[in-house]
Amino acid sequence: MPYRNGTYIAFDGQGTADPTESDLKYLGILRSWNKSKNYILNYHDSHLKTYKVLDSSSRKTLEARLMERMRNSKNVLIILSKDTNYDRGMLNFEIEKAVDYYEIPLIVAYVGYEYILAPAKLSELWPKALSERISNGTAKCIHIPFKEKAIMSAISQFSVHSTGDDILTSPYTIYTEQTYVNWGYKSK
């Protein structure tokens, strides 16, 4: 069994390789936070642990590589934005495999929000596979804003190795309002 210490990052590529036209730009932001000494974010990127996949790779090759990365992952960070498509691309495949096959906890990060206190109100942003798995209760999620402190906390706290209160048991887990106040994302 592989050692699962990576964070798998999933997002909608919106059918383009141009990061300025897709949610790929948020992966770039995460990686810059991870490399910078000015940020607290620190994670092992599962995508950097295997061979790169070329845009010309077959879907079968891409799926095999993504599953290899997921096998080595302790959690999945899903980046959702207003541009995330409901039923296109690889994001639904990634969510299906993470939940149904690998039983990996999901960290659902929403771009453009300061805090998340009612994730069901953001269901219009959920891709099909996430919506179905939240509805049937099989997805174990924490919903957070795409903010550095929230991401770092969730990556550190929720994984396949979690015990006790750190095990995600619900599709609707959130941090408390006070936590967001403490992080400086919400006023009292």
Side-chain angles (χ1 to χ4, degrees):
M1 178 177 217
Y3 183 65
R4 300 172 79 175
N5 69 339
T7 294
Y8 185 101
I9 301 166
F11 54 89
D12 184 4
Q14 278 104 24
T16 180
D18 182 349
T20 64
E21 296 178 7
S22 76
D23 288 350
L24 179 58
K25 63 183 159 270
Y26 302 113
L27 175 60
I29 290 169
L30 285 171
R31 286 180 173 165
S32 68
W33 288 347
N34 197 36
K35 288 180 184 175
S36 174
K37 292 181 167 93
N38 297 323
Y39 293 91
I40 61 167
L41 186 63
N42 184 7
Y43 68 97
H44 296 284
D45 189 337
S46 291
H47 294 281
L48 300 177
K49 293 178 155 198
T50 62
Y51 298 106
K52 290 186 178 184
V53 180
L54 304 175
D55 292 337
S56 60
S57 298
S58 71
R59 182 171 176 111
K60 184 177 179 180
T61 300
L62 177 59
E63 288 176 356
R65 190 73 70 228
L66 295 177
M67 288 183 67
E68 179 183 354
R69 292 171 181 171
M70 210 171 283
R71 247 189 323 275
N72 294 311
S73 298
K74 65 179 183 173
N75 49 33
V76 173
L77 173 64
I78 301 172
I79 302 169
L80 299 181
S81 75
K82 62 178 179 42
D83 298 320
T84 301
N85 192 283
Y86 179 72
D87 194 16
R88 178 195 62 222
M90 297 302 296
L91 184 57
N92 282 297
F93 170 83
E94 293 169 304
I95 293 167
E96 289 169 13
K97 295 302 178 192
V99 174
D100 300 348
Y101 190 73
Y102 294 110
E103 298 179 354
I104 302 174
L106 306 179
I107 300 163
V108 185
Y110 300 85
V111 173
Y113 292 85
E114 297 296 314
Y115 52 88
I116 306 297
L117 297 174
K121 290 184 178 179
L122 300 173
S123 62
E124 74 279 356
L125 299 176
W126 299 344
K128 182 180 180 182
L130 182 62
S131 182
E132 290 171 351
R133 283 152 184 80
I134 286 175
S135 291
N136 71 21
T138 57
K140 305 309 179 204
C141 310
I142 181 148
H143 300 265
I144 62 171
F146 185 81
K147 296 282 192 184
E148 185 208 4
K149 291 175 187 170
I151 292 169
M152 184 64 220
S153 181
I155 286 173
S156 300
Q157 186 174 4
F158 302 109
S159 79
V160 295
H161 309 298
S162 294
T163 59
D165 291 340
D166 290 341
I167 296 174
L168 288 174
T169 58
S170 165
Y172 293 105
T173 306
I174 58 169
Y175 284 115
T176 65
E177 187 171 0
Q178 186 59 50
T179 300
Y180 289 114
V181 170
N182 294 346
W183 286 335
Y185 297 156
K186 187 174 188 324
S187 323
K188 286 187 179 187

